[in-house]
Amino acid sequence: MHAPSTLSAKQIQHLRHTIMQWQTQHGRHDLPWQQSPSAYSVHVSEIMLQQTQVSTVIPYFERWMQRFPSLDALASASEDDVMAQWQGLGYYSRARNLRKAAAHVIAEHGGEYPDCLQALQAIPGVGRYTAGAIRSFALQQYGPIVDGNVKRLYARLFGIDGEPNSSAFNRTLWQLAEQLTPHNASHIYSQGVLDLGATVCTKSQPKCSECPVQSECVAHATGRIEQLPNPKKKREKPFRVGHFSWHQPNQHIHLVKRSSPGIWGGLWCLPELPDAPKDAELAGEFIHQFTHYTLHAKVWRASTPQHLSVKDDNSVGYLATQLFDLNQLDQTGLPTPIKQFIQDRIALKRHT
């Protein structure tokens, strides 16, 4: 790993000034969470933005803030209500942690976010990056941040090699972030590195001619823009087959609420079966890509509710089972692939 362990005071001052000036003139200023930012709104936006594009997050953020405008509103909401608002964003543990975080801040800090990085990281679901973002963007205090965009920017700017997910690689980037982030106007610098990574120093076809730190960029000088950051080691995803039950009396459907933690925890779902039921008719199937594996789901038509049994090995626990009106599914927290499958089946039935 070829990275400066310590930057000179002159380097730090120059890079800070250049990036902050660029952000003021060319950075993003009209995102909804940037308007009168509070610790709560920044927290919500940063959790939503994890592994999700800005354009996708904006409507979710706006609906969330209308439904849960404060920590009290979120903490007092039911889990079903919270999951329904999150439906479609994926990585549902994020929604559960936001609700837990609201209760934590109310119970431990009287409803006011702490301004200490260590105390912020003690909030459920808040890691080093999110704590820095809350402190920087909402409290306008010193809060170094490193996310995927900043990783890419720093790796190219300083010519850093290494496995992107390794502790050594991340430690180096955090050390650089801590040195470069100013104690005054931290929010301008932090927004600057985020914006540079997201809009200029992009993964493919970066706009190097528009980059304010191009003359300092090691990757540009050495022709290694495409090689940095080093590609992650590819791991082949395992392929799993899952069996689910479909029971649809009249205009209703039987769903079960899955327990947390776990895949689709806290969401309503078609009941999962230990294996394919004997003499059952296949109602349909779909493929869904999870982060760590590919699911081939087979859905079997059940003639009676008795088919709605939990898996024999008890690897999937259910909190409740309920009959839902097909017209009310938009207000119910379901995994996106399950909701899509149900909608497709209903549409197909109407046209046959």
Side-chain angles (χ1 to χ4, degrees):
M1 192 171 296
H2 310 289
S5 56
T6 303
L7 300 172
S8 69
K10 186 176 181 180
Q11 278 180 292
I12 292 172
Q13 186 61 29
H14 171 70
L15 288 171
R16 281 179 182 173
H17 174 76
T18 303
I19 290 171
M20 292 169 73
Q21 186 177 50
W22 177 88
Q23 201 287 323
T24 302
Q25 296 176 353
H26 305 288
R28 297 175 294 187
H29 301 276
D30 58 353
L31 297 173
W33 44 86
Q34 293 177 315
Q35 316 309 312
S36 304
S38 66
Y40 173 60
S41 65
V42 170
H43 182 190
V44 171
S45 69
E46 293 297 344
I47 297 299
M48 286 186 170
L49 286 164
Q50 291 172 3
Q51 304 187 53
T52 311
Q53 293 183 343
V54 168
S55 57
T56 300
V57 165
I58 288 175
Y60 278 93
F61 174 82
E62 291 175 338
R63 287 194 296 269
W64 183 280
M65 295 305 294
Q66 287 178 355
R67 179 64 186 85
F68 311 119
S70 66
L71 284 171
D72 286 331
L74 178 56
S76 61
S78 70
E79 185 178 82
D80 281 350
D81 194 1
V82 171
M83 301 307 276
Q85 292 297 319
W86 195 270
Q87 181 177 275
L89 267 180
Y91 301 98
Y92 291 93
S93 61
R94 296 183 295 172
R96 291 192 295 272
N97 280 334
L98 271 173
R99 185 165 171 263
K100 291 176 185 175
H104 175 92
V105 174
I106 290 170
E108 300 296 326
H109 303 286
E112 297 290 334
Y113 280 79
D115 63 0
C116 167
L117 283 172
Q118 187 175 0
L120 284 168
Q121 289 184 68
I123 297 172
V126 173
R128 193 174 182 181
Y129 166 81
T130 304
I134 293 172
R135 203 166 193 265
S136 183
F137 299 135
L139 308 178
Q140 296 194 3
Q141 297 182 33
Y142 176 72
I145 59 170
V146 175
D147 75 338
N149 290 315
V150 179
K151 275 187 180 184
R152 184 169 56 252
L153 176 68
Y154 284 169
R156 288 172 175 170
L157 181 59
F158 299 107
I160 306 172
D161 289 289
E163 166 61 42
N165 289 330
S166 70
S167 57
F169 183 81
N170 284 301
R171 184 166 54 249
T172 298
L173 296 187
W174 276 102
Q175 288 171 350
L176 288 167
E178 288 168 354
Q179 292 178 65
L180 285 164
T181 304
H183 285 262
N184 295 320
S186 169
H187 62 293
I188 300 176
Y189 176 83
S190 295
Q191 190 64 55
V193 290
L194 284 176
D195 291 350
L196 272 176
T199 66
V200 176
C201 193
T202 50
K203 184 176 181 179
S204 59
Q205 299 182 324
K207 305 176 183 68
C208 295
S209 61
E210 299 177 19
C211 181
V213 292
Q214 181 196 48
S215 59
E216 287 77 34
C217 181
V218 173
H220 185 268
T222 57
R224 302 188 64 213
I225 293 292
E226 299 300 325
Q227 286 74 49
L228 293 174
N230 298 152
K232 296 177 182 178
K233 293 179 181 178
K234 289 189 177 180
R235 297 177 176 85
E236 190 173 342
K237 282 186 181 181
F239 192 84
R240 300 180 186 174
V241 177
H243 299 281
F244 297 84
S245 176
W246 176 282
H247 181 60
Q248 184 192 344
N250 301 319
Q251 290 300 306
H252 294 76
I253 188 165
H254 272 287
L255 298 175
V256 292
K257 188 176 184 181
R258 295 170 70 108
S259 60
S260 304
I263 297 298
W264 296 334
L267 296 176
W268 290 91
C269 184
L270 295 173
E272 190 168 355
L273 306 171
D275 48 38
K278 293 181 180 180
D279 302 322
E281 179 186 355
L282 186 66
E285 51 193 320
F286 62 88
I287 303 291
H288 182 67
Q289 299 288 344
F290 286 105
T291 304
H292 301 296
Y293 70 93
T294 299
L295 172 68
H296 180 190
K298 295 187 176 184
V299 183
W300 302 92
R301 186 172 284 107
S303 58
T304 66
Q306 280 73 25
H307 285 80
L308 304 177
S309 58
V310 299
K311 295 185 73 172
D312 291 344
D313 60 7
N314 204 30
S315 62
V316 176
Y318 298 145
L319 299 177
T321 178
Q322 188 172 324
L323 201 60
F324 282 87
D325 189 312
L326 293 174
N327 296 317
Q328 296 178 337
L329 296 183
D330 282 340
Q331 290 78 48
T332 307
L334 294 100
T336 299
I338 295 293
K339 181 181 180 181
Q340 188 62 56
F341 179 84
I342 294 173
Q343 290 176 334
D344 290 345
R345 290 297 307 168
I346 294 171
L348 181 63
K349 190 172 182 179
R350 286 172 179 166
H351 289 87
T352 56

